[in-house]
Amino acid sequence: AIRRGMDIFLATQQPAPQAGWGLQHFPDTLRPAPARTYEPEALTTHTTANNVQQLLNFYQLTGDRKYIARVPEALDWLD
């Protein structure tokens, strides 16, 4: 269950060049979803920064490089 929880971070990261995360995602496509009808689908910088930190933590806990493989893409998007 813990691995599945960590792996959702990988599944919800969007493709480059916008390799960030949204606050919420559609359950069927895992694309960013609006929370309210007047909000657009969007990626957020603060969520992306937090998720990058979490991926670094997951790597430190597991030693599995899959958790840090796409971190550079996220950092490029934040830059």
Side-chain angles (χ1 to χ4, degrees):
I2 292 170
R3 291 268 183 178
R4 286 193 317 267
M6 292 188 298
D7 287 349
I8 197 65
F9 283 74
L10 303 176
T12 54
Q13 185 179 10
Q14 300 305 294
Q18 294 183 315
W21 287 265
L23 288 173
Q24 56 277 329
H25 296 83
F26 289 108
D28 55 344
T29 64
L30 301 181
R31 293 196 39 79
R36 293 170 265 307
T37 57
Y38 57 85
E39 290 179 341
E41 299 174 14
L43 302 175
T44 57
T45 55
H46 59 86
T47 300
T48 298
N50 182 65
N51 287 359
V52 165
Q53 182 60 55
Q54 291 301 330
L55 289 172
L56 296 173
N57 292 339
F58 300 160
Y59 172 70
Q60 187 176 23
L61 288 170
T62 66
D64 192 335
R65 296 189 62 79
K66 74 179 182 181
Y67 294 113
I68 59 170
R70 294 192 59 213
V71 165
E73 293 175 45
L75 296 177
D76 286 345
W77 180 74
L78 287 171
D79 188 40

